[in-house]
Amino acid sequence: MTRKDIALKNLWRRKGKSFFILAGLVIAVATVVGLISFVTAMTHTINHQLEKYGANILIVPKTDNLALTYGGMTLGGVAFETREIRESDLAGIATIKDAASIAAVGPVVLGGVEIENRHVLLAGIDFDATRILKPWWKVSGALPGPDEVLLGAETARILGLGIHEPVFIKDRAMSVAGVLAPTGSQDDQLIFTTMGTAQVLLDKPGVVSMVEVAALCNACPVEEMVAQISEKLPDAKTMAIQQVVRGRMETLNHFQRFSYLISGIVVFIGGLVVLVTMMGSVRERTEEIGIFRAIGFRKKDVMEITFIEAAVLSAIGGVLGYLLGYGATRLGFLLLAKKEAAMVLLNPTLAAGALLMAMAVGLAASAYPAFMAARMDPSRALRSL
């Protein structure tokens, strides 16, 4: 009978202790795998949502205005100078170092117009870029052409206009191509048309009021891109809109550090379970170990038997722990957020790491019991028979 056979028979004969060791390892590994899988899935989800978030770089004209606003109320300001953004200058954005990270550039020209004795803010935009910049838009009807407009939800309600109805802006007859569904933003109170049409109506040829830039891929160096755009547009002010994204990522980073702390504690407890159980198993087998030593087993043979037992249980614990952790994470996402459950993927690297961690914990915790078994005096063990 080989040492491997002896170790396997020992595990089978002491099923209770084997199950106890296995349970400790499975719980430890499953906890670590579950936490890591959760953080990875949430990071995946946030990165995926960033692509749909809209613009995160805003370019506005430099101004020396000191706006007097408080709580959403505008009281006026002290104006010194306002520079316009020339539309021709926007071509420089495509030449920056990280231009490949730009998903869309959306110039906007703004100005007040009067429709049916009401003052309305007219916005001329690039509707192709808007599909990327404002993916949450839902339009009833169609996007406007050169002689058409798109009404915000509040604008349509207040003006009492619907799709295909005529509207006159500065004596120019236009048609309502569509109505924007409520967005909960200022877009609800605007009237939109094409860039060229708005520039003509507002008498702002070749200039824009602001520019929205979408550069929201996971690895985009937004701060560096802001600096690069500022160099190309020295007469404009370029800003990064990152507060919401940063807040979500910081929260996730805090949870990640907390999960590592919890994982360390659980792994330590799992190691203690293995240590205590293996020591109890060695003490129970005093006579058996004495017989092995008496018939010629060396110290390293006794230690090897103990390590084989620990290795077998650790390997099983690593596999079961990974499957349990993965399954629990996926089930949690299915119950809480079905759409995000697809982000919980089988990770071969994490599976290998779970197996190695279980083996390391199991063998390390078995080192002292194995050494204790090897040091056992065979004559003393035989006298206990």
Side-chain angles (χ1 to χ4, degrees), residues 57-330:
I57 297 177
L58 185 66
I59 305 171
V60 297
K62 278 188 176 178
T63 178
D64 293 325
N65 285 357
L66 300 176
L68 304 179
T69 61
Y70 185 82
M73 181 179 294
T74 302
L75 304 178
V78 182
F80 294 99
E81 180 184 2
T82 301
R83 304 178 181 88
E84 297 284 357
I85 300 176
R86 293 188 297 273
E87 192 173 2
S88 58
D89 293 341
L90 301 184
I93 298 176
T95 64
I96 67 172
K97 177 183 176 183
D98 293 301
S101 298
I102 295 178
V105 177
V108 181
V109 60
L110 297 168
V113 296
E114 188 172 323
I115 301 176
E116 298 183 4
N117 298 320
R118 292 181 182 274
H119 293 286
V120 183
L121 186 61
L122 176 68
I125 61 176
D126 181 343
F127 286 97
D128 289 333
T130 301
R131 298 176 191 275
I132 299 174
L133 293 165
K134 300 178 185 291
W136 54 85
W137 269 19
K138 294 182 179 179
V139 177
S140 297
L143 295 176
D147 290 314
E148 297 175 323
V149 297
L150 172 69
L151 303 180
E154 281 297 298
T155 303
R157 184 185 66 81
I158 292 173
L159 297 179
L161 295 173
I163 299 173
H164 303 311
E165 291 190 26
V167 60
F168 292 88
I169 302 177
K170 293 190 175 182
D171 299 325
R172 179 170 175 174
M174 306 184 74
S175 174
V176 178
V179 176
L180 187 64
T183 64
S185 69
Q186 192 174 356
D187 292 346
D188 295 342
Q189 303 174 18
L190 271 62
I191 181 170
F192 301 90
T193 188
T194 61
M195 176 68 64
T197 301
Q199 288 174 328
V200 172
L201 291 172
L202 300 173
D203 193 23
K204 293 183 178 182
V207 298
V208 298
S209 305
M210 59 182 287
V211 183
E212 296 175 319
V213 180
L216 288 169
C217 56
N218 179 29
C220 288
V222 175
E223 296 292 349
E224 294 180 17
M225 294 173 68
V226 167
Q228 293 166 16
I229 294 174
S230 297
E231 291 180 4
K232 297 294 182 179
L233 302 174
D235 293 331
K237 181 179 180 182
T238 307
M239 302 172 290
I241 308 172
Q242 294 180 305
Q243 291 86 349
V244 174
V245 175
R246 280 179 176 172
R248 294 176 72 181
M249 294 305 291
E250 286 178 4
T251 301
L252 190 61
N253 289 335
H254 288 318
F255 179 79
Q256 188 174 29
R257 288 192 289 269
F258 176 75
S259 68
Y260 289 154
L261 175 62
I262 296 298
S263 297
I265 294 174
V266 173
V267 169
F268 177 73
I269 294 173
L272 286 180
V273 170
V274 176
L275 173 64
V276 172
T277 308
M278 290 296 288
M279 287 183 65
S281 177
V282 168
R283 289 195 180 97
E284 285 183 359
R285 292 152 55 191
T286 301
E287 298 86 353
E288 179 183 314
I289 294 172
I291 293 173
F292 287 152
R293 292 298 310 280
I295 62 177
F297 276 60
R298 293 169 296 178
K299 290 183 178 181
K300 74 171 189 175
D301 296 326
V302 176
M303 292 183 67
E304 186 176 342
I305 291 172
T306 306
F307 280 129
I308 290 174
E309 294 175 13
V312 171
L313 291 175
S314 298
I316 297 173
V319 174
L320 294 180
Y322 175 77
L323 295 176
L324 179 61
Y326 168 78
T329 305
R330 188 164 181 91

